[in-house]
Structures are given as structure tokens and as C-alpha cells.
Amino acid sequence: MDKFIINGGKKLQGDVKISGAKNAAVAIIPAAILADGPCVLENVPIINDVSIDLKILSKMGAEVKIINNNTIQIDAKHIKDSVVPYEMARSMRASYYFFGALLSKFNHAKVSMPGGCDLGDRPIDQHLKCFKALGADYVIEHGLVDISAKQLIGTQVYFDKVTVGATINAILASVKADGLTILENAAKEPHVVDLANFLNSMGADIMGAGTDVIKIRGVNKLIGTRYSIIPDQIEAGTYMVAAAATRGNVTVRGIIPKHLEHITSKLRKTGVTVNEFDEFVQVIGKNEPYDRINIQTLPHPGFPTDMQPQFAALLTIAQGTSIITEGIFDNRFKYVDELRRMGADISVDGKVAVIEGVPKLSGAPVKAADLRAGAALVIAGLSTQGKTIIEDIHHIERGYEDIVKKLRLLGADITKKTRYESDSIGKAL
Ligand code: UD1
């Protein structure tokens, strides 16, 4: 099994360049099949979730070309099939964007029920409600959702919950529907806006993305385009917290500081210095203990749930009691047992975690339960003296491009051991 081995306690220093946003990329790549011509996407993060998306497209008959490191071209004119290969879709939650994209292209989609990070109950009722409102019908059989429509017709949908996934799927499904679709109580995350901007650059007519009412007037045709994906706010936030936790001095480049407002403001409250510039932020940690803070995760523009575990790692070594309230998912504290192995003092009651700060953690063997839980363990391992061995790193590699390389450039002592090397280490011990 692949592992990260971290010899912690080194202050991170230097510059890190942030990659394109995972959550935008996994929506934009399926959306590219709606164009009549080739789409060139720039700033695509090369991470496992993106590789799965590209494999799905290739398997379905699209022509996918790597133009250079982070630029790819997708030409979907040869896709004839509206069925996504089962195992590929199952391994990644965001494969559910093929529902909206295929429905829009073929009036039919057959995709497995989504997998991905286990953060508790993650229904797709709001996605299905929207497809139904647009005129589609569905059956769920043998783990597959089979959706079809004679014709998609513009409609009005009020989401019972603010959901990123259903908002994006609703945009995808309605972009070529007949007439006007109005989405109310829509999600406002930057990647929702990025998807709308991408589709508009293909000739779509979408207004209001970034607010809670999005209006989509269906168009007959979408054309190929060239588009650069926004920077990943969560990757940026993760390096910002890592800089703070190691009491380092890191410049996080290639970002949109506005997307990081909550992260910046919470870091400042703990006593971290964050200097903001047009396209980068400088994060300077301090040697004295950080101050305690409370965090409640909420839909955008609230504090992002995807940054909650990383902040928890930092707060384990703050002075006093911090309280984290998870406002989005049922089960997002699966990293807590692992941080406890490292000496953290955290108790959890339902959706609330109470963290009593300790002077320091100590390295330990731990397991990444999901993507951001894994990021929290990396931060904890970097911040503390001693060796931390993180297993199940495939979760982390789903969402962080070149994490080992980027951290090593900042002075971290982190190495990846592949399954074969890990076995040899095991035998040698
Ligand atoms: C997306 C992000 C994920 C982030 C999350 C919240 C992607 C690929 N993933 O996940 O990184 O943590 O937003 O910002 O962009 N819900 C329902 N019914 C539905 C859909 C959602 O009840 O039909 C609930 C969910 O269980 C959850 C809440 O709504 O409690 C928000 O979910 P949603 O915003 O849809 O999250 P994802 O799209 O899965």
C-alpha cells in the first residue's frame, strides 16, 4: 500500500504555485462533451479524479489529447454512447456530472450511483428532482441510475438544500433545454461560477451564477472553446494552514485572494500573519502558541467544509478550546481518531468537535479516511517532530497535484513509498 513518510518539525519556507481547482475541473471536463467542436482546457490539475474523468471520456469515444503539462484538448464528436462505464464512475463522486452532461447531449444518461469520499449520507435527490422537473424520468436498478427524456423543457426549481452538485447538474441538464430554467436557492461556490463561465464561452446563456438565483436560457448549439480553470481555493488554503502549523513563511501563488477570504480571516484570528496581494498571499506563522477560534462550516460564502479538517489539525496545537461545528455533512470528523494517535485532545458530539489545544503533537502511523482528512494528517505530520506514516494516500492524491514535490520545494521532509517499496521496508524491519 502506498504511504507518505513525513519527518516533521521543519518550517515550510518559500513559494508554492497553486493548481487548477479540482471541483471546477470535474464539472468542466464532462461539460466539454456538449461542444460541437474541440475544447481546450488550461490549468487542469493532474490528479486522480481528473484522470478518471479523462479515462471515462476516452472509453466513451472522445478524443483526449494532452497538449502540455496542464492543458488538454477534448473532442467529443465521436461519443455515441450515453452510458458511463460502471467501475470508473463508481470510484469518483463527481462522475455524477455525467448525468447532467449526457442528458443534455443525448436526452439519456446511464451512470452508477456515485461513490467518492464517505462523509455520511450523500443523497442525490435534489439532482433527480431537477432532472424530473426538466421532463426526464429515471429508474434506479443494479446500482445504476438510468435517466431519459423525450425532450428537456425549461422549468423552475427550488432546491430544498443548498447543494453544489445538484446546482451544477441542473445547469448542465438545462443548458440546451427548450426555454428558460430558473434555479432558486442555488449554490454560489466559485466552481459553480467557473462552470457557468465555461459554458457561456461555448455559447450558453447563463446568468446569475454566484448568486442564489441562476437563469439559464437553453441554446441549440454549443461550440468548442479555450478556457482556463480557476485556481483551487482548497489546495491554496491547505498550504496556507500548513505554513501556519509549521510556523513557516510561505508565499502561495496563482490564486484569487477573494476566494480565500474566510480562510485568511480565520488564520488571522489565530494570530497568523497573512499579507494579501493581487494574485498571491504570504503566510507567516509565529513561534508562540496560536489563539483558539471557533469555526462553523456553511455553504459559500461561509467557511468551506473542505477546509475544516486542515484547520482542526492547526487548532490541536492552539492555546485553549476551539469548537468546530460541521454545517454541511453528517460525518466529517473521521480524522479525529487519527489526530488523537498523534496526541491531539479532541472530543466529538454529533456535528460538533471540541478541541483542547496541546503544546505539541507527536508523529505516529495514521490512515487517511478521506481526501481532506488526509490533508489534515499531512499538516499534523509536518508540524510535529518525529516520523508520521500516512496510509491510504490514494484519497489525498485524488485532490492534490504533486503534493510531495510541492511540499519538498518548501523544505518539508516527505517521501512517498509505493506499495513495492513499503513491502521491502516492512520485510527489512
Ligand atoms: C461538493 C464538493 C465537495 C464539497 C461540497 C460542499 C465537488 C465535486 N465536491 O460536494 O468537495 O465538500 O460540495 O461544499 O464539487 N444533499 C442532499 N441532496 C442532494 C445533494 C446534496 O441532501 O441531492 C446534501 C448533502 O448530503 C450535503 C449537502 O447537501 O449534506 C451539500 O452537498 P453538496 O453541496 O451537493 O456536495 P457535493 O456536490 O457532494
Side-chain angles (χ1 to χ4, degrees):
M1 197 180 294
D2 294 356
K3 296 172 183 172
F4 285 159
I5 298 182
I6 299 173
N7 287 302
K10 300 195 168 47
K11 294 180 184 219
L12 297 186
Q13 311 266 4
D15 289 21
V16 61
K17 165 85 174 61
I18 295 308
S19 302
K22 164 181 113 42
N23 287 349
V26 295
I28 286 174
I29 291 170
I33 69 169
L34 295 174
D36 287 349
C39 286
V40 175
L41 301 178
E42 296 169 359
N43 205 28
V44 179
I46 305 305
I47 49 176
N48 288 354
D49 274 11
V50 162
S51 308
I52 294 172
D53 258 351
L54 297 179
K55 276 185 200 146
I56 290 176
L57 285 183
S58 299
K59 192 96 187 162
M60 293 176 75
E63 205 177 89
V64 178
K65 268 197 222 158
I66 310 291
I67 298 198
N68 62 41
N69 297 344
N70 296 92
T71 305
I72 57 171
Q73 178 175 300
I74 297 170
D75 188 347
K77 69 171 172 286
H78 296 301
I79 295 190
K80 298 274 179 286
D81 200 359
S82 48
V83 181
V84 175
Y86 183 76
E87 278 309 323
M88 287 184 179
R90 254 199 67 170
S91 61
M92 178 178 81
R93 184 157 187 85
S95 60
Y96 58 28
Y97 293 140
F98 282 99
F99 284 130
L102 289 170
L103 193 57
S104 205
K105 192 174 173 80
F106 296 114
N107 282 356
H108 177 252
K110 196 170 177 182
V111 187
S112 81
M113 284 294 274
C117 284
D118 175 11
L119 310 175
D121 190 24
R122 294 178 84 177
I124 57 165
D125 57 304
Q126 298 301 304
H127 304 236
L128 297 173
K129 166 176 153 171
C130 180
F131 299 146
K132 231 178 157 150
L134 284 161
D137 237 324
Y138 63 87
V139 283
I140 302 176
E141 266 178 356
H142 313 300
L144 294 164
V145 190
D146 191 333
I147 313 175
S148 50
K150 280 203 178 70
Q151 191 192 3
L152 294 166
I153 298 173
T155 185
Q156 188 150 356
V157 178
Y158 181 89
F159 292 110
D160 304 326
K161 258 194 159 180
V162 179
T163 132
V164 172
T167 301
I168 287 179
N169 248 333
I171 294 173
L172 290 169
S174 58
V175 69
K176 292 175 85 180
D178 193 13
L180 180 68
T181 297
I182 301 177
L183 307 177
E184 291 180 286
N185 201 25
K188 296 179 276 200
E189 268 70 0
H191 34 290
V192 174
V193 179
D194 210 34
L195 172 76
N197 288 342
F198 170 65
L199 288 168
N200 282 343
S201 78
M202 290 160 76
D205 184 355
I206 305 170
M207 282 184 18
T211 76
D212 56 6
V213 180
I214 303 178
K215 294 184 179 168
I216 305 132
R217 194 168 289 284
V219 294
N220 290 329
K221 184 179 161 70
L222 293 169
I223 54 168
T225 186
R226 189 175 186 101
Y227 191 80
S228 181
I229 291 171
I230 51 165
D232 196 311
Q233 53 163 345
I234 305 302
E235 188 200 12
T238 302
Y239 284 99
M240 289 167 77
V241 176
T246 60
R247 307 183 192 284
N249 182 340
V250 172
T251 301
V252 181
R253 294 194 180 273
I255 53 152
I256 300 173
K258 174 91 187 145
H259 291 169
L260 299 169
E261 269 174 352
H262 269 81
I263 295 164
T264 299
S265 122
K266 287 293 181 191
L267 279 176
R268 284 180 177 151
K269 278 206 174 114
T270 66
V272 177
T273 302
V274 184
N275 299 321
E276 267 182 10
F277 300 87
D278 281 353
E279 290 180 5
F280 62 93
V281 287
Q282 183 191 24
V283 181
I284 307 170
K286 61 173 188 175
N287 288 325
E288 301 76 50
Y290 292 116
D291 297 329
R292 53 150 310 274
I293 53 168
N294 293 339
I295 287 176
Q296 171 154 31
T297 70
L298 288 168
H300 191 80
F303 186 90
T305 174
D306 286 356
M307 279 304 300
Q308 183 260 93
Q310 300 89 315
F311 263 85
L314 176 68
L315 295 174
T316 59
I317 49 167
Q319 202 164 35
T321 310
S322 301
I323 297 175
I324 296 185
T325 309
E326 171 58 40
I328 310 283
F329 292 111
D330 294 335
N331 189 4
R332 202 153 200 182
F333 292 121
K334 288 209 289 192
Y335 58 86
V336 164
D337 280 342
E338 304 305 298
L339 287 180
R340 281 193 194 125
R341 282 177 205 281
M342 300 178 73
D345 180 351
I346 311 178
S347 52
V348 176
D349 185 4
K351 290 184 163 193
V352 179
V354 178
I355 303 174
E356 300 291 349
V358 294
K360 60 185 174 60
L361 303 178
S362 60
V366 288
K367 279 189 183 169
D370 60 59
L371 169 57
R372 307 304 171 186
L377 297 178
V378 171
I379 290 169
L382 292 171
S383 76
T384 185
Q385 297 291 339
K387 183 181 279 195
T388 296
I389 300 173
I390 306 179
E391 288 184 10
D392 291 347
I393 57 169
H394 59 279
H395 289 297
I396 303 172
E397 293 180 327
R398 281 189 39 229
Y400 289 92
E401 184 176 39
D402 285 338
I403 184 166
V404 169
K405 190 168 153 198
K406 288 185 184 185
L407 284 171
R408 288 174 74 96
L409 279 172
L410 292 172
D413 182 347
I414 175 171
T415 28
K416 175 178 167 178
K417 295 281 177 224
T418 60
R419 182 201 297 223
Y420 174 73
E421 290 167 308
S422 302
D423 287 350
S424 315
I425 294 172
K427 278 185 197 136
L429 291 174

